[in-house]
Amino acid sequence: MQEKYLKLKGLLAEAFDLDRATAVLGWDQQTYMPPKGAVDRGEQLATLSSLSHKISTSPEIGELLEDLVPWAQTLDQDSIEACLIRRIKRDYDKQIRVPSEFVAEFARVTTIGQEAWVKARTDSNFASFQPHLEKIIAMRRDYSDFFKPFDHIYDPQLDDFEPGLKTTEVQAIFDALRPQQIELLQAIAARPQVRDDFLHLNYPDKQQWDFGVEVVTRFGYDWEAGRQDRTAHPFSTTFSINDVRITTRVLEDLVTSSMFSTMHESGHAMYEQGVDPSLARTIIQDGASMAVHESQSRMWENLVGRSRPFWKFFYHRLQEYFPTQLGNVDMETFYKAVNKVTPSLIRVESDEATYNMHIMLRMELEIAMMEGSLQVKDLPGAWNERMRKYLGITPPNDRQGVLQDVHWSGGMIGYFPTYALGNLVSAQLWEVINKDLPDLEAQIERGEFSALLGWLRMNVHRHGAKYEPQVLVERITGSKIDPQPYVKYLRRKYSDIYGL
Amino acid sequence: MQEKYLKLKGLLAEAFDLDRATAVLGWDQQTYMPPKGAVDRGEQLATLSSLSHKISTSPEIGELLEDLVPWAQTLDQDSIEACLIRRIKRDYDKQIRVPSEFVAEFARVTTIGQEAWVKARTDSNFASFQPHLEKIIAMRRDYSDFFKPFDHIYDPQLDDFEPGLKTTEVQAIFDALRPQQIELLQAIAARPQVRDDFLHLNYPDKQQWDFGVEVVTRFGYDWEAGRQDRTAHPFSTTFSINDVRITTRVLEDLVTSSMFSTMHESGHAMYEQGVDPSLARTIIQDGASMAVHESQSRMWENLVGRSRPFWKFFYHRLQEYFPTQLGNVDMETFYKAVNKVTPSLIRVESDEATYNMHIMLRMELEIAMMEGSLQVKDLPGAWNERMRKYLGITPPNDRQGVLQDVHWSGGMIGYFPTYALGNLVSAQLWEVINKDLPDLEAQIERGEFSALLGWLRMNVHRHGAKYEPQVLVERITGSKIDPQPYVKYLRRKYSDIYGL
């Protein structure tokens, strides 16, 4: 049986290597590829994906699983073998339910859809994107149908990004969260605003870059197993446990953009650098889910990077990088500025207090479209109505409203919730960490992060994708994903900043 | 039949894409990969190669060829279809003769061999490398045996790099070349040496980089379909016709190093950028052979870049980049310095007049080892003896002698001759070009290279690997590879510089 296990592992390691090669080609495309290279790169990426898919859905895998699944059930359920076979079985069963013609057709539809979205967004004209989104939603409904019976048509969508998570669970979480966030936002809106004008002076590129590097080096990002490059949109990408890269974009008129995105991406990257090497070249050499991944990036960006202890240590360094811009701004003023709450039209520019509202809005609309209770043609109206209800503002056009995100045009339905869930998980973990490391705040004030990173390595990172997200969160915190720690965290933080 | 042809093309396009992905991963490894990434990168490269090999040696290819080869013989023999099928048939027949166990074992032996060579070279101790080279030579002899009957045991080695070229042909070429080169070298040695001390001042990195970029931009290297990065050893690499990259290394105490290597690599790269797009994603989207490739790089580096007309245009620009270093050096003095002839121990540092001697020495030793007339244990002695005979110098140790090149440790036997053949072909082409473009020198003096590049595109580049090297050279010049134009070129050039 051991031999069959190694056979299965070896076959899928090839698919894994192809996927990592795809990641390298994708990274190169975003960082260094010359402009004319795009078309052929597309062919190369398509070939690698199709070969990987062919391997991981081959009948040979199915035959090996027939013997290995019962065997794995006799093992320690926390063993790598049991966890890996469970995950392979899960992915295999999902993949073979989806006909390859559907996969090819959906790739075609979303490629065209993304082009249409780019144009529609430029023209701020939802109508031109509408037929494409209608087709995409129809195909996502077909996709869900491959997984019948389901409790909810949105379940198979969600499950692609959050293994095992159900629509009713997420709805319950967000139903508990929504009124509390709205209440907090209204309380903040009633208070005088903090100033942040000095964040928008001219901050030269090189110093911004160097400060970001200094911060994440202290965090513990391993530069021997990673690097940072420039891209239009920051991301992190994994070529192996020993090569996890981050990218950033520096805006010279906004000092906070690159700084926090570097911390954010380093959070993703340290997660992947910290996976147990015995999981290497398997599909569980990965984060547990998008939400758990986001819990790591948001923790380093917000719970650490936007905290007062962090700035007690780092602010004088930042002032040294930017003496003319920040020499006369005291730390408290700066701290409040980087935590300013403003309802904004654009999700990616929004602050910790409003971010989840953008997410809930999107998820509700996704579910309504999947259920059929909302027609695509009515989406812009529904969007604007919710923006008014949740954030009190109305998009002046589709570009700054319903057309702002790439996700739907790329066929990603069920992805948005993971951002908000990540915020919630980050605060849940933070409560446990602070119990386990009672002097964490003092450590951060001294610029020490090794105990924090060590805790995350031990409790989160090393497990890779051995466990489903709810299982992992419950193992660590004693409960499944729960919005209360995040709400408590926001209340405490903003009560202090805004004097609620 | 057209359908079968497209089927064959489609199958091999997948292998081709895998090979281009391999090139991207290799490029990344040399340019940006963090140090810890090497081991996993090795696995990924091995997987991509093995999948590509599996596709291109699959029985399906053989079956398709059985029908397509006779069909191709009915077509215009210059058509893409005929040329492509001829080349696929050739490669397929070669590949299936070599058992995959041999390929795997040879990969293992050369991986270990390269490690042993690095150590032996560091220690300057041939004895520790000897058993590895013995094994490699024995396996190269086995490799040749797969291609029995052959005229010469070295033929199958050579054929891997120069399709269709025979050992006797190369020996005849070099037998004609050798005495003439030795005679020229002796005449030069009898003359007063030129000065080049000013090449070794401090030349800052950035200006060197910028000058190299300025030169190859004028040559016509397409930066929209390429880029330059830094590596320990310069190379060029092709991801597609629209993405052909070069690399360089800047030495601040030797202004000529990066400058000429950038010209050299741009020559390789412009070749691949100029291949007819209808050959894209086939194995004939490639240079005709290593020698033809080298004819392009050496032409831009030497026949153009080390010529007086070139410096008539570029020298004042170089002086503007380096006013303190070169302000008091006149163009003639500089021109002579970059053409200084000195017998040196190291091939890669040698000049145009001595370079081929290094190559002939290596090829003669390779042939002798393959024939069995030279034992590996006697190699260092044979090396040093030939160095004395050809260049009048004796290596003080193995590191600067027999251990200087990586090729043999990597299993590359038959590769060295291509460097010298490239020099010869470059001069043969140059004669024809100067007949077709009688005012080429004047154009170069004005910094105009578009007619030259246009000629190369039309006569060499666009054909890709449609023709075997000897066929291509004969199509263009009316004769097969011939050493006389190169000897004439060297004589004229050095008679002028050294006043012979």
Side-chain angles (χ1 to χ4, degrees), chain B residues 17 35 45 58 71-72 75 89 160 162 200 220 254 332 345 375 415:
Chain B
D17 287 339
L45 289 168
S58 70
W71 171 70
L75 304 175
K89 169 77 175 151
D160 281 355
E162 294 301 319
H200 297 273
L254 181 57
E332 273 298 318
L345 296 166
Q375 299 302 305
Y415 190 102

Side-chain angles (χ1 to χ4, degrees), chain B residues 103-174:
Chain B
V103 174
E105 171 68 4
F106 193 64
R108 206 183 61 78
V109 165
T110 52
T111 300
I112 298 168
Q114 288 207 319
E115 282 167 26
W117 168 74
V118 169
K119 188 169 175 352
R121 184 163 175 260
T122 306
D123 303 345
S124 195
N125 175 17
F126 180 78
S128 73
F129 178 53
Q130 183 188 316
H132 299 278
L133 187 55
E134 281 166 351
K135 179 75 188 158
I136 287 167
I137 295 291
M139 289 192 76
R140 292 320 293 173
R141 291 172 54 89
D142 293 343
Y143 180 84
S144 282
D145 285 346
F146 297 133
F147 299 96
K148 273 186 170 163
F150 44 65
D151 297 329
H152 193 287
I153 193 170
Y154 192 68
D155 280 354
Q157 311 295 318
L158 200 54
D159 189 79
D160 281 355
F161 306 109
E162 294 301 319
L165 200 67
K166 299 291 176 199
T167 307
T168 50
E169 290 178 88
V170 184
Q171 285 174 322
I173 291 166
F174 288 164

